[in-house]
Amino acid sequence: MGPLTTPKKGREVGSVDPWTPTSNLKMLISAASPDIRNREKELCMDNDGREGVDLTQDAENGEESEKMISRKEKSLGLLCHKFLARYPDNPNPALNNDICLDDVATELNVERRRIYDIMNVLESLHMVSRSAKNRYTWHGRTKLAQTLAILKQVGEEHKYGQQMQQIRHFDGEEKENEEVVVDLENGEGQKELFFVELPGVEFKAASVNSRKDKSLRVMSQKFVMLFLVSNPRVVSLDVAAKILIGEDQGADQDKNKFKTKVRRLYDIANVLRSLKLIEKVHVTEERGRKPAFEWIGPEEFPQVKDLESSTPECPPKKRSVLETRTPVENCAKNLFSSPGTKRGFTRHPSLIKLARSIQDDRRKINSAPSSPVKSSLNDSSNSDFPNKMAQLAAICKIELDQESATGAEHPKPAAAAAAAASSASSEADVAAATRLKLISGSVDPPQALLLTPTQEPGVNTTVHLTPHTPLGALPAGSVAYISAQCSSLIPVLLPQQQGGGPYAVYLQSSSPRPNPLARPQPTSLAVRSMTFEDKTGQSPTTGQCAAKSQPASRASEGSPQALKRLHPDSASESSPSKAKRTDPNFKDTSPKLCEILQARLKARRGAQLSSRPSPRALHLDPEFVNTPGGAVANQTLEQSLETFLDREDKMANSDSEAGLTPVRAVPLTPGQLHSETLVPAGYLIPISQQSLIGYKEAQCSGRESNKASTPTYNIYQTPTAGSRPSPAQEITPTSLRLHKPAAAAASPLTAQQAHRLHSPSPAILNFTLQNLGLISGSSPGNGFTAPQTPEGAHALASPLTLQQRGMVFIKPVSPVPIQQSLSGQPMALISLQQPLMTTPKGTGLPQHSFFHTPVPLSPLAAMVTTSGHLATKTVYIPQRKLDVATEDS
DNA sequence: AGCTCCCGCCATTCT
DNA sequence: AGAATGGCGGGAGCT
């Protein structure tokens, strides 16, 4: 440290006279095209590798260069270039691609601080991963495709496309940024994405893990998601900043915040540019020209696309599901947050702090904190749920895929987990089952799982995709373990194409963002035409061309969009979860409860407190979703916690393995909670895999003979995957609420409705199933589906059936069957992926349409159609188009 | 006169 | 306590 910083400073400070000859040289150099300079630098870097080059440069240009040329030469982008030049794009994994921060800083002759910036962005793309203090492992672009695929999926789930459109509209309509921002915030508090991880890569160091949710990394991922989700792959800085602000923090958005966010975006953009993933462009709107960036990276994404493309129906379904759930989430959120804007402030600042303090305690205990604040913010609502749902669904899909891939491997762990779960939390399972029933009507294990995530109170959903690696690195499909999504954390395992570990995605469900949308958006937005100008003069990719050439089309689309927008807005406004929020009391109580619970947990666990890196796991946030009967709920929570603790005790944790999986959440027994479940909106209560399994089992057993399979599920207690929150509990209640309002039927029928609502999830399921091979979606090799549930095939056609499918699918989920079916290829994941990959490419166009539609879906659609599925569907369609259009615009 | 965004203070979070 | 990280925003360089 000392040397690096000191020397640097010294150099800089001491160095230079601007007027020295060198300075002139530097000036000349700077005058030269940046590209040339960069190339030169790169060459030097390549050659020397390190200091030699740098030194030479420094020595030569030396002091002066620093000052004169400095600004440009010191840019993060250039620095990143230098950095990248030192490592191969596709390093041999077998080799030890170790990166020492100190060395890099020294070699590049830059402050450490700058290296952190670069590493954070690279880490967000999984191009590097921290291996320890001061150490990173270089992955290059090895995992880039996979990461992008996941980010895209998550982004879609997050409804980023819609958000972007909305923001654009707002901006157009409203001149006041602040207002817009506020709206966004209020509405957006939604779910936050924490961090999308790949299985083996992620956190090897506990310390590292704890900071996963840091802003730059997360921001970077979100930023990338925006590109992947938008039709013309162009994202303007202001829109990105607004979206990111909304997610991060509801309340404070000020000009200052915006400025800060923009600064960060520039930082990130510079790194992404050096990676050649994006390019600077300008977008011209009615108002004027604004800086923007265009995606010039890969457009095709393996698994994700396949999933989506394979099941065209899915999007709508998903939407419906999302919608349904959304309301629930809203409710949860509402509880937390106070109505209106206040939530934001309340949540973030105070809540966050509280959460943190609590988290600290929890950490000791093993809890993983999520920031409840955000969730609480979401009062608005409905949208939140959908969003969360979407995210969850996406995650679930991924997980399922992974699971299918992992198949055989999982069984063992699954069995263990199941056993543990059963022993530890038979009660919980039952409760879970009931919950599921309540939520989905029929109990579909898969659905339940999916739902759970969405269930997250909405406050903050954290989706965690943790690698199952705990066991070691499970090659390909290690365990697809879906953490219960009850609370905010939802661990999702993604199959790795390359065979790495699965990805873990951390999603914080923040408050719903519908609000921003909620504003009446004039059609004018739709009308707006955006022109892309290439600053660099580089022609945009085809996408851009299309955009440019098709302004008219955009405009046309825009109008519809506007209409759609209006709908959503109205819905969102009405949504209002605000009304639901009524529970200020709960808010107050919830925290207390949390504390109490935590204290108890600590007491019990005592020494056990493992050092779990993951902070989030346990958080019980104040935001419990309460339904009627809060007091009861509290008790139930406590009980659940106790049971959870017991379970944990029983379970021999291999936390140490992967390094700490935060996930280990303390599962709350959902079952008990059901009617009045306390939903930790803000915090994700990790449901142990066991619990999940338990759910599955229960469901399966009741419904089908999948039981056997269920046992197979691995429960990786692994620290990461390990504990699964029992979001289901929480979720259930919320979902129920939502359903009622939306579907309107509280009666038994609700189950069906719920299924319908879940439909989106079914879509996800379909994807996953397909991937797994359970279902014969795009790929025929799903002999499995038939065995497991012949219905599944039929179901595919109809949404309702989907639900059933989901159920069925779930059963299939058991790794064993899948693997068998896949027997041709041991690696289920691989087989699946390949087909998917090819398929998407073949149907490039369709895919695009797909993506677009989905995006808009989640939030707005949900908002719009609270009531009927059919209605929602119809609405959706238009919305989709609109959304797309808006994006284009 | 903005747009960019470098620099480094200082709060956090590990060790 | 000290080191490692990284949030954040002032303010300067570049257009």
Side-chain angles (χ1 to χ4, degrees), chain A residues 27 184 250 259 281 345 432 445 447 465 486 586 591 631 688 724 731 747 785 822 829 833 838 878:
Chain A
M27 294 293 286
L184 293 175
K259 283 184 177 179
V281 298
F345 70 84
Q447 290 178 344
L465 297 184
C486 306
F586 286 95
S688 61
R724 221 42 352 242
I731 295 168
S747 64
T785 57
L822 294 179
L829 292 175
Q833 292 176 348
T838 58

Side-chain angles (χ1 to χ4, degrees), chain A residues 488-523:
Chain A
S488 57
L489 295 180
I490 299 168
V492 176
L493 294 181
L494 298 180
Q496 292 179 344
Q497 295 173 346
Q498 294 175 345
Y503 286 84
V505 175
Y506 290 84
L507 299 180
Q508 282 183 338
S509 60
S510 56
S511 60
R513 294 187 176 177
N515 295 345
L517 297 180
R519 287 186 178 181
Q521 297 172 346
T523 56

Side-chain angles (χ1 to χ4, degrees), chain A residues 423-563:
Chain A
S423 64
S425 62
S426 61
E427 294 176 354
D429 292 348
V430 172
T434 55
R435 294 175 186 173
L436 293 175
K437 290 177 181 178
L438 293 175
I439 296 169
S440 63
S442 62
V443 176
D444 293 346
Q447 290 178 344
L449 293 175
L450 294 176
L451 294 177
T452 30
T454 52
Q455 293 173 347
E456 315 160 355
V459 173
N460 296 334
T461 17
T462 332
V463 175
H464 215 351
L465 297 184
T466 52
H468 294 295
T469 50
L471 297 180
L474 295 183
S478 47
V479 174
Y481 155 77
I482 298 170
S483 60
Q485 310 64 2
C486 306
S487 51
S488 57
L489 295 180
I490 299 168
V492 176
L493 294 181
L494 298 180
Q496 292 179 344
Q497 295 173 346
Q498 294 175 345
Y503 286 84
V505 175
Y506 290 84
L507 299 180
Q508 282 183 338
S509 60
S510 56
S511 60
R513 294 187 176 177
N515 295 345
L517 297 180
R519 287 186 178 181
Q521 297 172 346
T523 56
S524 63
L525 295 178
V527 174
R528 291 183 183 178
S529 63
M530 296 176 70
T531 59
F532 300 91
E533 295 177 357
D534 293 344
K535 292 179 179 178
T536 57
Q538 295 176 347
S539 62
T541 58
T542 57
Q544 292 178 345
C545 294
K548 292 179 180 178
S549 65
Q550 301 172 344
S553 64
R554 291 179 183 175
S556 64
E557 290 178 355
S559 61
Q561 290 176 346
L563 295 175

